[in-house]
Amino acid sequence: MTISASQESTADQASEVQRKFGISVEDYMLPARRQIQMVAPDGALKPDAEQGTEPGHEYPIPGDAELIAAYERLVVGRRVNDQNSALVRQGRMAVYPSSHGQEACQVAAAMCLSEGDWLFPTYRDAVAVMAKGVDPVQAMTIFRGDWHGGYDPQEHKVGIQCTPLTTQLLHAVGVAHAAKLRGEDTVVMAMCGDGATSEGDFHEALNFAAVFHLPVIFFVQNNKYAISVPLSHQSVAPSLAHKAVGYGMAGERVDGNDLVALLAVLDRAVKLAREGSGPLLVEANTYRMQAHTNADDDTRYRDNAEVSEWKAKDPLSRMDTYLRSRGLLDDDGAARIADHAEAVATQLREGLGEDVPVEPQNLFRYVFSSPTPQLQEQSALLADELAREEAGKAAQKEAGK
């Protein structure tokens, strides 16, 4: 009997999984029977037997230095979310999709990557963009309605925040494929929400990544709503992480408000991808505490009782309690971190409050690397109109003397 290349690949994968984890390839691909949760909503470390781990799905507690650094980014992220919501009300930002309540997911996604790894965020992942090292004002420029994305993707290895749903996953897979062809040591973190899993681009990205065995982590922040559509109207799968097995990759689900568990799960996922295990799908169960954007009325599709239930699971208070119980955080440390967060908020207020010089020719300058004849014609028409307008102003000024 002839064995196909795909059968050989599956056999090799099964052999490797059994050697590394001592479990079947099916048990490796399927998520653990319970979501991974290390710190309970009250901030207490859960006993090992209650963390959801099982053979092949074990996760050590991250180191103290990593936990403190992550907590600081978490505090900054919450302050940024609140500050940006205020800036929208003041008219300094056109729109802002708050990630209040989801900051733990974003911090962990950025922190688990190495300097040369790529991050592809959604429009709601500004906190992740900042955690990857992008200047806060540059990270928020896109929401001011400027003509550009605010930062250089190549410099920071961060894709521009995508407003079109799910297109960033295809970009992420393309970068991972290119890196593999070049022999580069690159892992790509591709972020999306639960709504994105209903898109065709989601299927295409996961299938391509699996077939070509690419080092991509597909990180789904399941915040329970695709704008106003609840998850129950999007999918009846046992979990979104279960979708992984259909593509031949491993899936895992984690408490998206437990920063400790998120760091553990994503650190391991990146390590596996870097070692050549192929793509992985991680689903984080979290909740969008505020409206989809400032233009959304979330009271039309969810009630206050549901929101209140999730307030008790807040990632910030949970992490604060856990670190204090470990003796890793005291009042002085918390005050220092709060001061840093306030400094970032001040930077945003000042930076986004500045008037941006308008250059009309930028309408045509950056559309194509080589302008088309039509763009050149339009540019010339605008230049002539602006020149005549300036001449008219000068003539009026002269006549008024």
Side-chain angles (χ1 to χ4, degrees):
M1 182 179 70
T2 302
I3 299 177
S4 68
S6 61
Q7 288 175 314
E8 288 180 347
S9 175
T10 301
D12 291 343
Q13 184 180 17
S15 176
E16 176 65 15
V17 166
Q18 289 172 342
R19 182 190 66 78
K20 185 178 291 187
F21 301 110
I23 58 176
S24 69
V25 67
E26 291 83 4
D27 285 339
Y28 168 72
M29 289 181 182
L30 287 169
R33 290 165 181 80
R34 292 183 295 162
Q35 72 169 355
I36 307 302
Q37 184 189 74
M38 295 180 167
V39 177
D42 63 2
L45 182 67
K46 302 186 72 171
D48 290 349
E50 298 178 12
Q51 292 182 9
T53 61
E54 55 189 55
H57 299 264
E58 298 99 346
Y59 299 97
I61 299 290
D64 294 351
E66 184 179 8
L67 293 176
I68 289 294
Y71 175 74
E72 181 160 358
R73 288 170 173 81
L74 186 65
V75 173
V76 170
R78 175 62 55 84
R79 184 66 186 90
V80 164
N81 271 323
D82 293 345
Q83 180 62 75
N84 285 346
S85 295
L87 289 172
V88 170
R89 292 192 297 271
Q90 296 165 10
R92 300 197 214 178
M93 294 175 68
V95 66
Y96 183 64
S98 175
S99 61
H100 187 115
Q102 296 181 219
E103 297 96 342
C105 294
Q106 309 206 0
V107 168
M111 283 193 62
C112 71
L113 298 175
S114 298
E115 185 177 350
D117 295 336
W118 273 84
L119 175 75
F120 281 86
T122 73
Y123 51 80
R124 199 179 300 281
D125 296 327
V127 171
V129 173
M130 287 175 45
K132 188 70 162 60
V134 176
D135 177 85
V137 176
Q138 291 183 357
M140 305 308 160
T141 294
I142 192 171
F143 303 114
R144 185 166 53 184
D146 214 324
W147 62 270
H148 58 84
Y151 53 89
D152 181 359
Q154 288 287 346
E155 176 185 355
H156 300 284
K157 301 293 188 295
V158 178
I160 295 297
Q161 291 180 258
C162 265
T163 299
L165 199 61
T166 324
T167 55
Q168 75 278 2
L169 299 189
L170 300 177
H171 306 159
V173 168
V175 167
H177 192 207
K180 184 176 181 179
L181 292 175
R182 294 170 180 157
E184 298 171 353
D185 179 24
T186 300
V187 173
V188 179
M189 178 70 65
M191 303 179 73
C192 68
D194 51 286
T197 65
S198 301
E199 294 287 321
D201 285 354
F202 179 83
H203 161 76
E204 292 160 9
L206 268 69
N207 196 57
F208 190 98
V211 169
F212 288 92
H213 208 63
L214 303 179
V216 184
I217 312 300
F218 294 99
F219 185 40
V220 181
Q221 296 176 79
N222 178 3
N223 66 15
K224 308 300 179 285
Y225 288 94
I227 305 182
S228 60
V229 180
L231 181 64
S232 60
H233 291 178
Q234 302 175 58
S235 174
V236 292
S239 76
L240 296 177
H242 278 80
K243 291 179 178 288
V245 68
Y247 297 98
M249 68 177 72
E252 194 67 280
R253 51 185 169 175
V254 58
D255 182 344
N257 287 13
D258 179 358
L259 183 54
V260 178
L262 283 162
L263 289 168
V265 169
L266 290 176
D267 279 345
R268 179 178 183 263
V270 170
K271 178 176 181 291
L272 289 174
R274 200 180 306 281
E275 291 174 350
S277 294
L280 300 97
L281 172 63
V282 175
E283 175 193 4
N285 286 298
T286 184
Y287 194 77
R288 168 170 54 79
M289 294 300 299
Q290 298 179 350
H292 178 69
T293 70
N294 52 291
D296 172 43
D297 179 8
D298 61 320
T299 62
R300 298 177 63 184
Y301 54 85
R302 63 184 188 182
D303 56 40
N304 291 333
E306 180 179 293
V307 178
S308 296
E309 177 186 345
W310 279 89
K311 282 183 179 178
K313 304 175 183 179
D314 183 73
L316 184 55
S317 59
R318 184 188 307 199
M319 193 65 176
D320 183 280
T321 301
Y322 171 69
L323 292 177
R324 288 178 184 273
S325 71
R326 292 271 316 278
L328 299 175
L329 181 69
D330 56 20
D331 289 344
D332 290 341
R336 177 190 62 79
I337 291 172
D339 287 344
H340 176 212
E342 193 57 43
V344 173
T346 300
Q347 182 184 355
L348 282 170
R349 287 195 303 272
E350 294 175 350
L352 295 175
E354 295 178 356
D355 291 333
V356 179
V358 177
E359 172 50 68
Q361 288 296 338
N362 284 340
L363 285 169
F364 315 104
R365 189 169 289 143
Y366 301 106
V367 180
F368 296 105
S369 57
S370 298
T372 64
Q374 293 87 351
L375 283 177
Q376 291 174 335
E377 179 183 0
Q378 293 169 21
S379 176
L381 287 170
L382 178 59
D384 179 65
E385 183 176 335
L386 292 174
R388 286 188 285 108
E389 182 178 315
E390 287 299 315
K393 290 179 180 178
Q396 288 179 349
K397 184 177 181 180
E398 185 67 26
K401 287 183 178 179

